[in-house]
Amino acid sequence: MDNTKHRFFAPCPRGLEQVLEQELRGLGIAVANAAAGGVKFEAPWSTMYWVNLWTHIASRVLWEVGHRPYRTEEDVYRAAYELAWPDWFAAQRTIKVKVSAHRCPLPSLDFVTLRIKDAICDKFVAAGGKRPMVDTSRPDIRIDAFLDAHSVTLYLDTSGEPLFKRGHRLATVEAPLRENLAAGLLRLAGWTPDDVLMDPMCGTGTIPLEAAMMARHIAPGLARSFAFECLGIHDAVRWAQLRETARLKQRKNGEFAIYASDHDPAAVKTAQRLFQGAGVAIDIRLRQRDVLTLEAPASKGILMINPPYGVRMGRTEDLASFYPRLGDWLKRGFAGWRAYILTADPRLRDTIGLSPSRRIPLYNGALECRLYEFKIVQGSARRSLRHDTDG
């Protein structure tokens, strides 16, 4: 078995870098360091398979194939041309180049993207092959480049489709909350399968699904394919072994207290189909109910709430009156619980009538949010001492 260490970068939703680092260390990766927007790690090739298969938090796993200083676009071209692209994938594969930058002095990232694409294609031609075709929608191979003020780093994307696409959701249904962010919320809350979990505004079910998959030890990537399967250095035998190992790790039996509900009957039906497709419907107690009519199913537990803030639903006037009622509902019926509310609406903090014990900045895609933690005690109307993680 080849134990050569490779460099990888796993991007994740901003705000979850430390959570992802902890997850990777839990997967057996000793050299893992959080950075802006993700985690850098070093590991053998087969470990990359394991991370793609098991990570709940990462958005992708990028394999670093080149790192060079640059001053001009031609320097970037040469940095890309020097790499052994024909050794890694066949010319018949379609490609897409994506460039991002921070403090890059070059005037046009579009031109940089074009030069990297030219360098890759020219390398194939020089090696006696034909040029790969570009496919910007569903490419076989994605090449990522990141430029800072002085250096360019080139990556091959081993994941393909973003890792929050677990393979269970219908293609026509897009969740307002991405799966890896939902998993991150559960980790930030310290939820374990022994805890009671309640999502009273579950929408199409992303948070309870992630919880059930964690409880069942179902690998998030088990139902999907990956870009590394298109690479010439792919070890199909080792990959099959790891997939089988993941299947054997699944828990066949168990009773988990995961409660989910939503007032929208269409959302509840979609969630039910999602849970059934993932094989966890038996683990989630799903029903159609209005949030403010629900009662606590246990004396203590964790509430995870992602309310339909105005950016998502366009009901800003309704939300202004909803937040105080939500706070009253929590104080009245959920003493002993911890409530976590993810919102992009700054009015929630000032109108819910509770003081957060934590306030964590996160991003849902490009949307800046806050995750508030409220410890509900008898007489929670009293303002408690607040500790803010973002100052």
Side-chain angles (χ1 to χ4, degrees):
M1 185 183 300
D2 185 2
N3 287 317
T4 303
K5 294 288 184 69
H6 299 268
R7 292 182 179 179
F8 299 97
F9 180 68
C12 66
R14 282 186 287 169
L16 293 180
E17 293 90 345
Q18 297 295 333
V19 176
L20 175 57
E21 180 183 341
Q22 294 167 8
E23 180 186 58
L24 293 178
R25 292 187 182 277
L27 292 173
I29 297 172
V31 183
N33 298 290
V39 176
K40 298 177 181 179
F41 68 97
E42 295 181 18
W45 187 253
S46 62
T47 302
M48 174 273 294
Y49 292 159
W50 199 239
V51 174
N52 269 293
L53 192 58
W54 277 104
T55 180
H56 286 267
I57 309 297
S59 303
R60 299 180 180 277
V61 179
L62 305 178
W63 174 32
E64 182 181 324
V65 294
H67 181 80
R68 297 284 188 279
Y70 77 94
R71 294 183 63 185
T72 68
E73 291 89 346
E74 291 312 301
D75 294 335
V76 176
Y77 173 92
R78 285 192 291 271
Y81 185 84
E82 289 173 2
L83 299 176
W85 304 105
D87 292 346
W88 297 327
F89 61 90
Q92 291 75 23
R93 298 293 186 181
T94 57
I95 65 170
K96 176 182 179 180
V97 177
K98 176 187 174 185
V99 174
S100 54
H102 179 65
R103 296 181 178 175
C104 172
L106 301 180
S108 172
L109 292 186
D110 287 340
F111 185 59
V112 172
T113 303
L114 179 63
R115 294 305 287 149
I116 294 172
K117 186 269 294 180
D118 287 346
I120 296 168
C121 292
D122 290 349
K123 189 60 174 278
F124 272 92
V125 171
K130 66 176 186 177
R131 298 166 64 92
M133 298 294 292
V134 172
D135 183 344
T136 58
S137 57
R138 295 185 63 85
D140 298 320
I141 304 293
R142 291 172 166 86
I143 297 99
D144 277 43
F146 176 75
L147 288 81
D148 61 19
H150 306 290
S151 60
V152 54
T153 307
L154 291 149
Y155 302 94
L156 272 171
D157 181 355
T158 70
S159 303
E161 288 292 307
L163 292 174
F164 64 79
K165 296 186 177 182
R166 310 297 199 210
H168 304 298
R169 192 174 294 279
L170 297 174
T172 55
V173 178
E174 183 176 349
L177 184 69
R178 289 179 174 175
E179 284 78 354
N180 56 344
L181 179 55
L185 301 180
L186 292 166
R187 295 286 173 84
L188 288 169
W191 176 83
T192 73
D194 295 328
D195 296 317
V196 179
L197 177 69
M198 183 175 177
D199 181 353
M201 305 181 76
C202 72
T204 57
T206 308
I207 292 172
L209 174 61
E210 288 299 306
M213 291 181 68
M214 289 179 183
R216 285 277 180 193
H217 296 171
I218 298 174
L222 199 55
R224 53 163 286 165
S225 58
F226 297 92
F228 60 69
E229 297 174 77
C230 296
L231 297 178
I233 55 176
H234 174 51
D235 185 342
V237 173
R238 182 59 178 151
W239 173 231
Q241 292 171 342
L242 292 174
R243 284 175 58 88
E244 183 59 24
T245 299
R247 289 192 187 93
L248 294 174
K249 284 180 174 288
Q250 293 184 24
R251 295 177 63 176
K252 303 300 181 185
N253 299 304
E255 292 187 6
F256 311 111
I258 303 173
Y259 296 83
S261 58
D262 199 276
H263 77 284
D264 182 354
V268 171
K269 288 181 180 178
T270 299
Q272 183 65 30
R273 290 196 298 269
L274 182 64
F275 301 158
Q276 289 171 344
V280 297
I282 194 173
D283 303 313
I284 303 170
R285 305 173 199 192
L286 176 66
R287 56 180 172 168
Q288 181 193 344
R289 289 284 296 275
D290 182 83
V291 56
L292 300 180
T293 67
L294 295 168
E295 297 180 353
S299 60
K300 63 179 181 178
I302 293 175
L303 276 158
M304 191 64 69
I305 306 173
N306 179 218
Y309 34 89
V311 172
R312 199 168 95 208
M313 301 293 285
R315 293 169 18 194
T316 54
E317 299 82 2
D318 292 346
L319 288 170
S321 62
F322 170 71
Y323 295 143
R325 293 165 63 202
L326 180 64
D328 290 342
W329 173 74
L330 290 170
K331 289 180 283 190
R332 185 173 63 250
F334 287 85
W337 285 61
R338 298 197 316 274
Y340 295 84
I341 304 179
L342 180 72
T343 183
D345 191 338
R347 296 173 302 171
L348 181 137
R349 173 181 167 179
D350 297 327
T351 58
I352 196 171
L354 296 165
S355 289
S357 51
R358 283 198 294 166
R359 184 181 64 184
I360 304 171
L362 295 169
Y363 282 79
N364 186 13
L367 188 63
E368 185 176 2
C369 303
R370 292 291 184 273
L371 177 66
Y372 294 100
E373 176 191 73
F374 301 98
K375 295 179 179 178
I376 313 300
V377 298
Q378 292 290 350
S380 280
R382 297 193 304 269
R383 306 294 287 189
S384 61
L385 181 65
R386 183 170 68 246
H387 170 67
D388 293 348
T389 61
D390 64 345

